[in-house]
Amino acid sequence: MPYFGSEETVKELKRALSNPNVHADRLRYKNYISKVIRMKDLDSWAQSEVLTFLLRYRPRSDDQLFDILSLLDSFLQSAHAHVTVATLRLFLQLASAHPAVQADALLRTSAPLLATCGAASRELRFAGLCHVQQVMRSQPGLFGTHYKRFFCGYSEPTYIKFRKMEILVELVNDENVSLVLEELRSYCTDVSPELAQAAIAAIGRIARTYSEKCLDILTGLLALKQDHITSAVIQTFRDLVWFCPQSTAAVCQTVEACVDSPQDSEGKQALLWLLGEHGDQISSAPYVMEGYIDGLKTELSSAVKMELLTASVKMFLCRPAETQDMLGRLLHYCIEEESDVCVRDRALLCYRLLQRGVEETRKVVTGPKSDPSMSVLTGRQEEPISQWTATFNTLGPLSGRDLCPQTAVISAADQPSSSAEKELLPDEEISLSLGSPLSHETFEKMWLDLEILHRQTLGSPRPRTAPDTLQAALQLVKIQTLAFTPGDTVPWKAYIYTRSTGTLILAELLQGDQQAPGSDESLVVSVKQQPVNQHAIRGFVSILKSVLQTLNVDSS
Amino acid sequence: MISQIFILSTKGDHLIYKDFRGEESKDSINGFYEMVTALSGDQPPVVMSYKGLHFIHARQGGLYWVASTKTNPSPFTIIEFLNRLAALTKDYCGSLSEKSVRMNFALIYELLDEMVDFGYIQTTSTDILKNFIQTEAVSSKPFSLFDLSNVGLFGAETQQSKVAPSVAASRPIMSSRGEQGGKNEIFVDVIERLSVVIGSKGVLMKADIQGEIRIKCFLPTCSEMRIGLNEELSIGKSQLKGYSSAVRVDECRFHQAVKLDEFDTFRILKVCPSQGEQTVMQYQLCDELPCAPPFQLFPSVEKDYVNRVLIFLKLRCDLPPKSTALNVSITVPVPKGSTSMSQELSSPDQTAELQPKNKALLWEIPRFPGGAQLSALFKVDVPGLSSASLLEVGPVSMSFELPKQTCTGLQIRFLRLSPTQTGLSQRWVRYVTHSDSYTIRI
């Protein structure tokens, strides 16, 4: 990686980031993490790589946590959006036990996030909007004053406009509701029918809290007599009545005055449902329904026919006199002449129910008139931040469904030692212990008896320190040195041993031997163990590596 | 990280393909193209998934710039990288189009080689890259100072008040190994995007200005440049406003390489520009428009006879008298089912046409002098007109370009290069305001 700055930084980064055992020791933490976080020397791509790597680290204590956070503080306001968002994600994840810190981080990055929502590049704008949506799941009030930024621009592509409308719906509060509604109203007459329908649906969602204003707007839209608008408005009314029963009376009045019927099947179904469910409040309901029944032969959609059946039966229960005749005709047609099996079966079901009597039918057909889960109008539930931190700053929010959650762990192809890493999480680290010292004879005997279980090139040469320093350093990590050859002999050898989780590990460090491949430049370790535990060997080797690297750094 | 990068034209031609990790085969390109063309208008195309591979793409210069990945990286990183790749291609090739990419494919492959290593982004800085890029760019049309056919002219604040055509900035940057041909020039653009919504009674409902200062540098070696902005520039929202008409912005962001030690006191930016284009400063001003909105519309919509709508538009330009607006185009939505239109325009260079597919009428004015007022009368035939249809003559959207002025009033007082250049180097400054979205409600 020649471009990351100076050679020094490259070496240190390489070492720190390829060492999974950096977490294990406080000594290492100070050496490596602090050096890794010399990020001002790096360019922005490297910074965001480092931040992604740092997601794996779990601070051992609050002090460490705040150390790291204060070192990274300045990157929350970086000029590059990807660095800011990566830092924000790190903050949110590391400080999961400190909601005040999380809230503060979110507040400070709200301005840069908003800036990406207005960026010149559309794709960046889209990414910014999706992430603002995520943030608003936990902190809906954060962007309330900046609602004007989410008004749709004329030339924006539809997918951006859809997201902006979704955000506007969630931003609405008492102060800005009239302006937001006016803005949404102007989108309802847009050229593109999908956009108009989305805008009308958005008004419908706002209507659950601010019914009168929205109903006025929706009624006004009906007057335009445009097919797609009328259909969307009626569907919105149906949803509104379900979620917000107190608006039923107003809705029914409007539907009554609306003479034009929708042309598409979704709209027709919605209208029929409204007529059937609240037929008692709409005086002209039976006559509208009669119109549909008479036109049944030309009706193509079976969903509409089934809705018509259910609605007619419901209407019959509340207004029998007017409906009886047409219900009879409807059932006759559906049972005798209808070709679609589902419709026919539904008609037979209705017929048999009615045969058993009105009470039975009423019990089966009528249900709750509004959403039973909405007892009291509660505010939006705020989700805890931890629910979405895992997918923040990944492709998840942009694609609309959860991608394979490869959040902090880079795929196995990248890191050859990743399998070792999975087992070396700080919770399950290898602990070495000295135990009783081995005598030379015992060591020699065991060495000759056992087979070599593992041999590896360590990648770093013998430290140029005095042997005592090496011994002391190894002692610090609970590895006992049995013997080593004097400093300048070639080949240089050392014999070390340690105990871990019930096994005894013996190892030989070798450098400069003609017969051992690869040992010219770096140390080769051969490990023997009793009893066999590969997991412990791996842990041992990595601890050994880190000690040697520390010593190499300190001595160079 | 990034598994493959490819560039496709709008028709799906493979222009560039580079595989970094050998994880996927080349058929993913066809898979991507089918998916992206099959999307309906409302589905977001930016991120798509295909057989375990994720595609992230950006559209620039009419081409698809696509990165595919098997992991789940940060979308901001990939999108910014793709935008930066497009910007670098534009710098090296002069312009960004299918033709220039086709002619310079060797250069682009070389760029990709140096920029990305095994899927990890290494660097996108022109300074470092130019040491490694050997290929020369092939430009599609030879650069000539005599090409004055473009209307958009540069204005410069040098002593001689010279003017250069706008294509002067769109030539390829010279590699350091090339002959010392070409002039040492540096172009500084102050570009603002205006986003305004005016309500039905002429009340300003929303006004946002997003601005950038961009430098395009053709100097072969880096020398420090000092850019002086207005001394009275104030940043941040404050309740106190002085008596003078001070230039104000809400917030600004700077490029990493800009040194801000003299910014607080003297509003001077110090930067060593690398070759090519870079954005030195980005600023924005929200909810406030220091100057008057450039256009005011006085519409009147009536029903005339049985099936005709009369739309009378009076458009007034509130710019100072010496300035003009260029390429003004006004889009007025018309009721559904409009069949034909007749118009009365005040001058022959304006054009208007009805576009039934977009359900709108488009009125175009090439040059609109400041302080002038233009009016137009349109008679649209709509069979089956009802009174409610008049409500469909909806919000009017405008797009225009205002050369030589900035709405915030931000000016570059001076541009000084530290004198390490041999020979003369010319400095050009340009101010432009574009309309991002200018909507007037009726």
Side-chain angles (χ1 to χ4, degrees):
Chain A
M1 304 186 278
Y3 301 120
F4 272 41
S6 71
E7 279 297 311
E8 260 329 293
T9 332
V10 173
K11 275 192 204 152
E12 290 175 36
L13 257 179
K14 265 188 181 160
R15 261 181 247 132
L17 298 179
S18 59
N19 183 358
N21 219 30
V22 159
H23 320 150
D25 197 326
R26 205 183 154 77
L27 179 69
R28 247 146 248 120
Y29 156 72
K30 276 220 153 78
N31 278 335
Y32 289 97
I33 293 284
S34 319
K35 282 177 188 166
V36 164
I37 306 181
R38 246 206 280 141
M39 291 216 298
K40 293 193 186 57
D41 303 338
L42 303 171
D43 74 337
S44 65
W45 308 108
Q47 283 173 358
S48 77
E49 288 282 345
V50 170
L51 286 165
T52 321
F53 275 115
L54 284 177
L55 280 171
R56 289 191 232 166
Y57 183 71
R58 259 156 255 190
R60 307 305 266 335
S61 71
D62 274 356
D63 286 338
Q64 276 193 14
L65 169 68
F66 289 113
D67 269 348
I68 299 181
L69 293 184
S70 56
L71 280 168
L72 291 174
D73 205 56
S74 55
F75 293 101
L76 273 181
Q77 311 278 5
S78 155
H80 295 267
H82 57 268
V83 175
T84 312
V85 180
T87 320
L88 176 62
R89 180 180 177 187
L90 189 64
F91 268 61
L92 292 177
Q93 189 154 317
L94 287 182
S96 45
H98 303 265
V101 175
Q102 288 178 323
D104 182 61
L106 281 173
L107 187 64
R108 286 165 60 199
T109 41
S110 61
L113 259 183
L114 274 178
T116 42
C117 296
S121 149
R122 301 169 161 186
E123 291 81 15
L124 207 57
R125 230 185 273 195
F126 182 67
L129 287 172
C130 297
H131 286 82
V132 163
Q133 251 189 319
Q134 272 209 315
V135 170
M136 280 181 61
R137 280 158 67 177
S138 290
Q139 300 229 339
L142 197 62
F143 298 105
T145 38
H146 303 278
Y147 64 95
K148 286 197 182 168
R149 305 270 200 113
F150 299 106
F151 285 179
C152 300
Y154 163 65
S155 55
E156 281 173 349
T158 13
Y159 59 92
I160 290 188
K161 287 190 191 172
F162 279 5
R163 284 292 169 135
K164 282 193 171 177
M165 282 200 281
E166 282 173 30
I167 295 179
L168 275 176
V169 168
E170 290 163 37
L171 273 182
V172 161
N173 57 33
D174 290 333
E175 289 114 26
N176 56 27
V177 63
S178 30
L179 284 167
V180 171
L181 281 176
E182 204 180 314
E183 186 71 23
L184 284 173
R185 159 77 182 79
S186 68
Y187 302 151
C188 295
T189 44
D190 194 86
V191 178
S192 140
E194 291 101 13
L195 196 68
Q197 286 170 338
I200 294 173
I203 296 185
R205 281 201 297 279
I206 300 182
R208 292 181 203 174
T209 2
Y210 297 96
S211 321
E212 299 117 28
K213 298 191 180 106
C214 300
L215 276 174
D216 288 336
I217 296 181
L218 291 170
T219 323
L221 285 172
L222 278 178
L224 287 177
K225 298 198 199 308
Q226 290 236 356
D227 282 338
H228 62 274
I229 294 184
T230 314
S231 160
V233 169
I234 294 191
Q235 288 174 52
T236 316
F237 279 155
R238 173 193 59 189
D239 296 332
L240 185 58
V241 161
W242 181 247
F243 284 108
C244 189
Q246 51 265 39
S247 54
T248 318
V251 168
C252 293
Q253 262 186 333
T254 321
V255 170
E256 177 139 21
C258 150
V259 177
D260 265 355
S261 33
Q263 297 299 320
D264 63 324
S265 70
E266 300 281 323
K268 284 186 199 170
Q269 285 176 56
L271 182 62
L272 287 171
W273 185 90
L274 273 171
L275 291 175
E277 196 67 26
H278 300 280
D280 44 350
Q281 297 182 32
I282 306 177
S283 61
S284 59
Y287 307 104
V288 178
M289 213 172 275
E290 186 159 20
Y292 277 102
I293 296 177
D294 288 338
L296 201 56
K297 291 194 180 77
T298 53
E299 180 57 58
L300 292 169
S301 154
S302 17
V304 173
K305 290 185 206 173
M306 293 213 276
E307 191 65 50
L308 183 58
L309 277 165
T310 323
S312 312
V313 175
K314 285 188 208 163
M315 176 152 286
F316 176 68
L317 292 173
C318 56
R319 292 159 83 158
E322 294 149 315
T323 331
Q324 183 174 359
D325 190 41
M326 62 173 124
L327 185 59
R329 275 184 282 141
L330 174 64
L331 287 173
H332 179 87
Y333 175 79
C334 288
I335 299 176
E336 302 293 325
E337 295 173 40
E338 177 57 46
S339 51
D340 186 324
V341 181
C342 299
V343 177
R344 195 165 160 277
D345 280 348
R346 177 80 68 100
L348 276 171
L349 168 70
C350 296
Y351 180 66
R352 287 171 189 147
L353 265 180
L354 286 166
Q355 271 189 324
R356 296 192 56 120
V358 173
E359 276 315 308
E360 297 282 336
T361 321
R362 201 183 293 272
K363 265 193 259 178
V364 172
V365 168
T366 50
K369 293 241 173 189
S370 65
D371 190 355
S373 63
M374 301 265 304
S375 49
V376 177
L377 204 64
T378 51
R380 243 177 338 254
Q381 304 288 43
E382 289 182 8
E383 290 177 24
I385 294 182
S386 49
Q387 281 207 336
W388 49 265
T389 327
T391 49
F392 194 70
N393 201 24
T394 62
L395 298 177
L398 271 77
S399 77
R401 29 162 219 281
D402 289 317
L403 300 182
C404 45
Q406 294 227 24
T407 46
V409 179
I410 297 189
S411 69
D414 293 347
Q415 292 276 55
S417 57
S418 65
S419 51
E421 271 192 78
K422 284 202 193 86
E423 290 156 21
L424 280 179
L425 296 175
D427 318 325
E428 310 165 39
E429 61 177 345
I430 300 300
S431 55
L432 304 174
S433 57
L434 280 174
S436 53
L438 281 180
S439 68
H440 285 67
E441 296 90 324
T442 330
F443 189 95
E444 213 171 53
K445 186 164 171 302
M446 288 184 80
W447 187 260
L448 294 168
D449 285 349
L450 294 170
E451 303 284 351
I452 293 185
L453 286 171
H454 182 79
R455 175 176 267 148
Q456 185 177 340
T457 313
L458 284 176
S460 49
R462 174 171 78 88
R464 268 171 232 311
T465 53
D468 294 337
T469 324
L470 176 60
Q471 186 167 15
L474 287 172
Q475 187 96 4
L476 212 59
V477 289
K478 311 274 195 303
I479 300 179
Q480 184 75 306
T481 320
L482 190 75
F484 42 78
T485 55
D488 295 330
T489 50
V490 169
W492 184 85
K493 280 193 203 176
Y495 287 97
I496 55 181
Y497 67 89
T498 183
R499 285 186 177 78
S500 157
T501 56
T503 86
L504 173 65
I505 302 177
L506 310 172
E508 172 197 60
L509 296 169
L510 181 65
Q511 175 160 4
D513 190 4
Q514 313 296 87
Q515 283 147 11
S519 70
D520 295 327
E521 293 302 313
S522 78
L523 285 169
V524 175
V525 63
S526 318
V527 182
K528 299 185 182 178
Q529 189 185 32
Q530 185 185 51
V532 176
N533 185 340
Q534 288 290 346
H535 180 56
I537 291 185
R538 282 196 286 269
F540 168 71
V541 168
S542 54
I543 294 179
L544 189 60
K545 266 191 186 170
S546 54
V547 170
L548 290 168
Q549 282 162 5
T550 320
L551 289 174
N552 271 323
V553 165
D554 288 344
S555 63
S556 61
Chain B
M1 282 294 287
I2 301 178
S3 180
Q4 302 158 314
I5 289 190
F6 42 94
I7 305 180
L8 300 178
S9 72
T10 10
K11 295 195 281 290
D13 303 326
H14 301 188
L15 298 176
I16 302 272
Y17 171 75
K18 183 112 183 133
D19 189 350
F20 293 104
R21 296 171 71 98
E23 291 169 332
E24 284 293 321
S25 66
K26 222 169 163 181
D27 334 319
S28 44
I29 310 186
N30 296 328
F32 166 78
Y33 187 67
E34 278 163 17
M35 284 182 78
V36 90
T37 42
L39 279 181
S40 63
D42 55 337
Q43 285 169 301
V46 180
V47 172
M48 296 189 291
S49 295
Y50 172 77
K51 291 190 200 165
L53 194 63
H54 305 302
F55 292 116
I56 305 155
H57 79 273
R59 292 214 63 175
Q60 293 260 12
L63 304 168
Y64 291 103
W65 302 74
V66 191
S68 73
T69 165
K70 278 191 114 84
T71 59
N72 198 355
S74 155
F76 291 97
T77 318
I78 310 275
I79 295 174
E80 285 201 16
F81 170 72
L82 288 171
N83 287 338
R84 182 76 191 124
L85 178 65
L88 271 175
T89 314
K90 187 170 162 199
D91 281 345
Y92 272 90
C93 308
S95 62
L96 191 60
S97 66
E98 186 180 332
K99 196 166 170 199
S100 61
V101 169
R102 272 187 203 276
M103 292 202 301
N104 291 297
F105 66 92
L107 175 62
I108 299 178
Y109 275 114
E110 209 178 338
L111 270 175
L112 279 175
D113 263 334
E114 297 299 329
M115 282 169 71
V116 182
D117 183 21
F118 197 56
Y120 292 93
I121 304 171
Q122 300 296 309
T123 177
T124 51
S125 146
T126 341
D127 284 333
I128 300 178
L129 283 173
K130 79 176 177 195
N131 297 327
F132 297 92
I133 304 292
Q134 316 263 355
T135 329
E136 289 283 328
V138 178
S139 60
S140 48
K141 48 180 183 185
F143 161 65
S144 157
L145 247 187
F146 298 104
D147 185 4
L148 285 173
S149 52
N150 256 331
V151 184
L153 294 180
F154 262 81
E157 310 244 305
T158 59
Q159 303 272 350
Q160 300 93 332
S161 252
K162 273 202 302 194
V163 151
S166 60
V167 294
S170 62
R171 60 180 166 100
I173 56 177
M174 296 294 189
S175 72
S176 55
R177 305 238 182 143
E179 331 81 54
Q180 275 306 100
K183 301 213 206 139
N184 294 340
E185 291 176 311
I186 190 160
F187 298 90
V188 178
D189 292 341
V190 181
I191 301 175
E192 290 193 350
R193 288 180 294 133
L194 195 58
S195 181
V196 164
V197 172
I198 299 183
S200 46
K201 297 182 186 57
V203 171
L204 186 65
M205 291 184 60
K206 168 183 124 137
D208 277 343
I209 305 178
Q210 309 256 14
E212 286 186 331
I213 300 183
R214 266 190 231 160
I215 297 184
K216 196 148 184 178
C217 174
F218 292 101
L219 303 173
T221 52
C222 161
S223 62
E224 192 177 75
M225 189 164 90
R226 298 169 83 219
I227 307 174
L229 305 174
N230 310 50
E231 271 198 4
E232 68 271 12
L233 175 68
S234 72
I235 301 177
K237 276 208 179 315
S238 71
Q239 307 295 52
L240 311 167
K241 288 182 197 169
Y243 284 109
S244 68
S245 52
V247 179
R248 235 180 49 76
V249 297
D250 273 353
E251 55 170 16
C252 45
R253 292 183 301 283
F254 301 95
H255 191 261
Q256 234 178 341
V258 173
K259 297 200 242 321
L260 294 171
D261 34 332
E262 287 186 35
F263 188 70
D264 284 333
T265 35
F266 301 112
R267 299 292 184 223
I268 296 179
L269 302 171
K270 288 204 280 210
V271 64
C272 280
S274 45
Q275 278 206 316
E277 188 173 314
Q278 59 230 264
T279 304
V280 168
M281 173 172 159
Q282 289 169 311
Y283 56 92
Q284 58 197 42
L285 183 60
C286 305
D287 294 336
E288 197 186 310
L289 202 58
C291 55
F295 293 99
Q296 284 275 8
L297 183 73
F298 303 98
S300 89
V301 179
E302 302 173 330
K303 206 165 112 161
D304 173 37
Y305 300 134
V306 178
N307 283 335
R308 214 143 74 144
V309 178
L310 266 182
I311 305 174
F312 179 66
L313 297 172
K314 197 159 68 168
L315 189 63
R316 190 184 72 204
C317 179
D318 285 330
L319 296 172
K322 287 208 190 123
S323 36
T324 36
L326 297 177
N327 298 333
V328 182
S329 86
I330 299 131
T331 312
V332 184
V334 290
K336 195 167 168 182
S338 315
T339 44
S340 62
M341 177 184 83
S342 72
Q343 69 231 39
E344 284 170 26
L345 301 169
S346 45
S347 69
D349 53 339
Q350 300 171 31
T351 52
E353 59 165 352
L354 179 69
Q355 293 176 338
K357 238 181 355 179
N358 299 341
K359 222 183 71 159
L361 76 84
L362 186 66
W363 176 23
E364 280 174 359
I365 307 169
R367 281 180 68 94
F368 201 144
Q373 200 164 272
L374 291 176
S375 57
L377 176 64
F378 300 102
K379 299 180 187 160
V380 183
D381 295 311
V382 187
L385 186 64
S386 65
S387 57
S389 307
L390 290 181
L391 292 172
E392 291 185 52
V393 181
V396 173
S397 338
M398 294 181 61
S399 82
F400 50 83
E401 187 181 302
L402 306 175
K404 296 197 219 142
Q405 50 191 293
T406 54
C407 284
T408 49
L410 192 76
Q411 301 272 333
I412 302 214
R413 272 182 300 134
F414 61 83
L415 270 181
R416 271 187 220 128
L417 290 162
S418 60
T420 57
Q421 294 297 111
T422 52
L424 286 175
S425 45
Q426 292 188 310
R427 292 150 283 162
W428 303 96
V429 177
R430 170 167 76 153
Y431 302 97
V432 159
T433 302
H434 291 293
S435 67
D436 200 14
S437 147
Y438 196 93
T439 317
I440 305 174
R441 305 243 167 90
I442 298 191

